[in-house]
Amino acid sequence: MPQVSKYPVSSDIAERIFDIFIKSFINLRDKNETDDFISDLFSPTEKIMLAKRIAIAFLLLKDFQYREISKILRVSVTTVASVNLSLKHGKGSYKKILDKIMKEEKLEALFMESAEKLISIPAGATKGAGVYRYLRNEIKKSTSKKGSF
């Protein structure tokens, strides 16, 4: 888990560096530039962690249950609850961003195709594939139940 130094900076400096951090994202022009910047800025683990939080918010907005999300994304129920708190008591940015993305792309279909492809590969094996078959069936049940993902 990421940690902040035990030696705090002054609030003026903290505010300034956060401002620079935000402006660095605002000034990115296209997907390739953004992808390169994110790859330089975040470790692979941090990128996955942040992407999973967005996926959790998406699934929560689609009325998936905590345990379903936990199984699909392989995150703890506590992480799902944390994102849900941000959704309910935050500034609404998760919802705004996901609404924009869903309008531009068919995010639901992308998540579903990715999940099914990822789960189907090991589910076809003969040994040790029971968990993956279970997950594949859960995804299919969720799809038929909700019409997406």
Side-chain angles (χ1 to χ4, degrees), residues 80-99:
V80 177
S82 173
V83 172
N84 192 41
L85 273 174
S86 294
L87 272 173
K88 290 188 187 284
H89 303 291
K91 297 181 179 183
S93 60
Y94 272 124
K95 185 161 177 22
K96 286 178 194 173
I97 294 297
L98 289 171
D99 284 346

Side-chain angles (χ1 to χ4, degrees), residues 1 49-50 52-58 60 66 69-70 75-91 93-94:
M1 170 170 268
M49 178 185 69
L50 295 171
K52 282 185 176 186
R53 287 184 186 180
I54 293 169
I56 291 167
F58 172 79
L60 285 168
Y66 281 29
I69 296 169
S70 177
V75 296
S76 71
V77 175
T78 306
T79 302
V80 177
S82 173
V83 172
N84 192 41
L85 273 174
S86 294
L87 272 173
K88 290 188 187 284
H89 303 291
K91 297 181 179 183
S93 60
Y94 272 124

Side-chain angles (χ1 to χ4, degrees), residues 22-143:
I22 296 299
K23 285 180 181 177
S24 64
F25 279 100
I26 292 170
N27 291 322
L28 296 171
R29 285 173 262 171
D30 59 32
K31 183 187 179 311
N32 290 334
E33 191 175 328
T34 304
D35 191 35
D36 291 345
F37 180 66
I38 286 173
S39 292
D40 289 346
L41 185 63
F42 298 116
S43 71
T45 303
E46 291 167 330
K47 289 191 304 186
I48 290 169
M49 178 185 69
L50 295 171
K52 282 185 176 186
R53 287 184 186 180
I54 293 169
I56 291 167
F58 172 79
L59 293 173
L60 285 168
L61 290 171
K62 291 296 179 183
D63 296 325
F64 277 71
Q65 298 296 312
Y66 281 29
R67 295 240 181 254
E68 289 176 304
I69 296 169
S70 177
K71 287 178 190 174
I72 291 168
L73 297 176
R74 304 187 64 79
V75 296
S76 71
V77 175
T78 306
T79 302
V80 177
S82 173
V83 172
N84 192 41
L85 273 174
S86 294
L87 272 173
K88 290 188 187 284
H89 303 291
K91 297 181 179 183
S93 60
Y94 272 124
K95 185 161 177 22
K96 286 178 194 173
I97 294 297
L98 289 171
D99 284 346
K100 286 180 185 179
I101 291 170
M102 286 188 292
K103 287 178 184 171
E104 293 172 10
E105 302 174 17
K106 298 297 180 190
L107 188 59
E108 295 176 59
L110 176 65
F111 273 133
M112 189 58 195
E113 288 172 14
S114 299
E116 282 191 68
K117 286 178 184 175
L118 286 171
I119 298 300
S120 292
I121 294 168
T126 53
K127 282 192 171 187
V131 172
Y132 292 102
R133 278 192 218 96
Y134 170 78
L135 288 173
R136 182 182 59 196
N137 291 337
E138 288 295 313
I139 290 171
K140 287 181 181 182
K141 276 196 274 183
S142 292
T143 302

